[in-house]
Amino acid sequence: MAESVRQSIDISSLERYLNQFVREIKTPLDVKQFTFGQSNPTYLLTAIDEKQYVLRKKPPGQLPPQTHLIEREYAMIQYLQGTDVPVPKAYWLCREESIIGTPFFIMEFLEGRIFTDSTMPGVSPGDRTALWREAVRTLAKIHRIDLSAARQLEVGNPTKYYNRQISIFMSLSKAQSSVVDLKTKEKIGEVPYLDKMVHFFSKKAYQPRDRSTIVHGDYKIDNLIFHNSEPRIIGVLDWEMATIGNPLSDFCNLTHPYFWGGLKQNVELFRPGRMIGLPTRETCTHWYAEDAGWDPTADLPWGDAFFAFRTTSVLQSIKARYVQGHTSGDTAAYYASRVDESAFDAWELVNKVIKAQKNPVLESKL
């Protein structure tokens, strides 16, 4: 949903720029801001000919390295237009900060359904099953993209994905801990159990087998646009964290409501039989194994724990921007308040993996 602009941009400057470089977009523009998303401010542009477009920009302020990579997002969308993965058309990337304050890109606006609740309320049980089936099928399409052709994107090293992720999110979290709350004048502080979790995830003996595919980085139901009446995805959004890495990460991200309620999702509704038509996680795993050609079942406990660790760092980044006044609203406030609780949940998942792998029966299978 797009509403009035909360984070203002220089519309006159944008119009002058588009008149020079993107003449397909007819000015003057009507500009509104989408309510969803906590990372990059996203705007709906309606041209004078009533055609609509989406503008994504980096947020204001000093940004940590390897974050808010809209240049990567644009490159991914542009590349994927030649594949069977549905994405919006990419129109233009502007790297200059002088136009509207930060770099931005423009893409096609797709008219469809976005479910912010992964239980998909309001659809029939049969459609709910079909929509989730399509989400899993499309994820497998991403993971089947030919890597030899995709290397031109320069989005990541093809090996040691989780080691890279550990390093990135540890460094990011350490940097974010020093951010000062403008109201309290105090630092937001470190994530609980950060060092212990990093130590655990860095142990090669616990890590899953190294695999290499295109990884979306934040693949979940509310980053998918479904056709208005068919159980078909017409666009996959939010590619800023895309890289070459372990596909386990994306599968755990998609199915996180089955095991983790830290993102305003009621996990109880994902228990078998609670929501008619909602597939079990075991069913989703079977579908994925069938479509992608490998079964993630054995690696799920580790992958789930890492998802929780990584998401805690992301929540901390939202908190860092929130206390500095760079983002606002009830959703940002909620996520900012969830950091410590999220870390405790992540540490609990880590301990479950440790206890399970200390079981003599399980150890004999390692």
Side-chain angles (χ1 to χ4, degrees):
M1 181 182 297
E3 298 179 348
S4 58
V5 173
R6 303 180 306 281
Q7 294 166 289
S8 62
I9 59 175
D10 189 334
I11 297 174
S12 296
S13 177
L14 174 63
E15 290 175 341
R16 289 193 297 271
Y17 181 84
L18 296 178
N19 289 338
Q20 182 176 359
F21 295 105
V22 197
R23 294 180 179 176
E24 182 176 350
I25 301 178
K26 306 300 182 184
T27 61
L29 302 171
D30 178 71
V31 180
K32 290 183 168 56
Q33 188 169 357
F34 287 100
T35 56
F36 58 80
Q38 293 300 318
S39 181
N40 297 311
T42 305
Y43 302 82
L44 175 65
L45 310 181
T46 303
I48 195 169
D49 59 4
E50 298 189 352
K51 292 183 179 178
Q52 293 185 306
Y53 308 87
V54 174
L55 181 149
R56 295 259 289 167
K57 69 184 290 290
K58 293 191 179 190
Q62 185 173 355
L63 305 177
Q66 296 299 309
T67 61
H68 307 283
L69 301 176
I70 65 158
E71 300 88 351
R72 176 175 296 188
E73 183 171 5
Y74 178 82
M76 285 298 305
I77 292 173
Q78 202 171 39
Y79 173 77
L80 290 167
Q81 287 167 12
T83 71
D84 62 351
V85 176
V87 290
K89 177 182 177 181
Y91 284 98
W92 192 264
L93 170 66
C94 175
R95 300 177 186 272
E96 299 177 41
E97 296 186 355
S98 59
I99 309 304
I100 58 172
T102 61
F104 66 90
F105 75 89
I106 296 175
M107 64 182 177
E108 175 186 14
F109 171 73
L110 295 174
E111 184 70 52
R113 293 177 290 174
I114 296 179
F115 296 98
T116 55
D117 183 336
S118 296
T119 64
M120 302 174 177
V123 305
S124 69
D127 279 351
R128 184 173 293 115
T129 303
L131 290 163
W132 263 91
R133 180 69 184 93
E134 171 72 352
V136 174
R137 181 185 298 114
T138 301
L139 179 60
K141 287 181 180 179
I142 295 171
H143 295 164
R144 292 199 310 264
I145 293 172
D146 182 5
L147 274 186
S148 62
R151 294 195 197 285
Q152 62 178 288
L153 292 169
E154 299 181 353
V155 292
N157 188 307
T159 61
K160 298 182 179 179
Y161 167 75
Y162 278 115
N163 287 337
R164 300 194 326 263
Q165 290 278 290
I166 293 164
S167 177
I168 289 170
F169 283 100
M170 179 185 68
S171 299
L172 188 62
S173 186
K174 292 284 188 182
Q176 288 167 169
S177 68
S178 298
V179 171
V180 175
D181 187 320
L182 295 182
K183 292 181 178 179
T184 66
K185 308 301 180 184
E186 295 179 355
K187 295 180 180 179
I188 65 174
E190 285 200 359
V191 166
Y193 299 113
L194 175 68
D195 291 334
K196 289 185 176 181
M197 287 192 283
V198 168
H199 178 70
F200 164 77
F201 289 120
S202 299
K203 285 190 173 183
K204 188 172 178 59
Y206 286 114
Q207 290 181 356
R209 171 185 164 185
D210 200 15
R211 298 177 185 273
S212 294
T213 70
I214 289 288
V215 169
H216 177 277
D218 194 21
Y219 190 90
K220 52 194 174 81
I221 294 297
D222 65 2
N223 274 333
L224 308 175
I225 303 177
F226 292 88
H227 188 277
N228 273 324
S229 59
E230 302 172 13
R232 175 169 58 88
I233 292 172
I234 61 173
V236 180
L237 305 177
D238 204 2
W239 291 87
E240 65 170 293
M241 298 174 72
T243 187
I244 296 174
N246 196 315
L248 173 67
S249 176
D250 275 346
F251 185 78
C252 293
N253 206 85
L254 171 64
T255 57
H256 79 266
Y258 288 90
F259 67 88
W260 200 70
L263 297 177
K264 300 185 80 170
Q265 185 67 66
N266 185 353
V267 174
E268 289 303 314
L269 294 177
F270 284 80
R271 306 300 184 205
R274 285 295 303 273
M275 180 70 73
I276 300 174
L278 190 65
T280 64
R281 197 185 195 197
E282 290 73 19
T283 297
C284 291
T285 306
H286 173 75
W287 286 339
Y288 178 79
E290 186 176 72
D291 294 337
W294 73 282
D295 187 346
T297 301
D299 294 331
L300 288 180
W302 193 97
D304 291 348
F306 190 85
F307 163 84
F309 160 74
R310 192 183 82 153
T311 302
T312 300
S313 180
V314 173
L315 294 178
Q316 186 193 30
S317 71
I318 294 173
K319 181 176 182 177
R321 296 199 305 277
Y322 180 75
V323 301
Q324 286 278 303
H326 295 316
T327 187
S328 60
D330 293 341
T331 301
Y334 172 79
Y335 286 147
S337 71
R338 281 281 303 166
V339 176
D340 286 2
E341 187 176 352
S342 176
F344 298 144
D345 292 344
W347 181 238
E348 184 177 346
L349 289 173
V350 166
N351 277 290
K352 285 182 179 179
V353 177
I354 293 171
K355 290 176 182 176
Q357 295 202 12
K358 283 182 177 178
N359 185 309
V361 176
L362 292 178
E363 285 185 334
S364 68
K365 297 179 180 179
L366 294 178

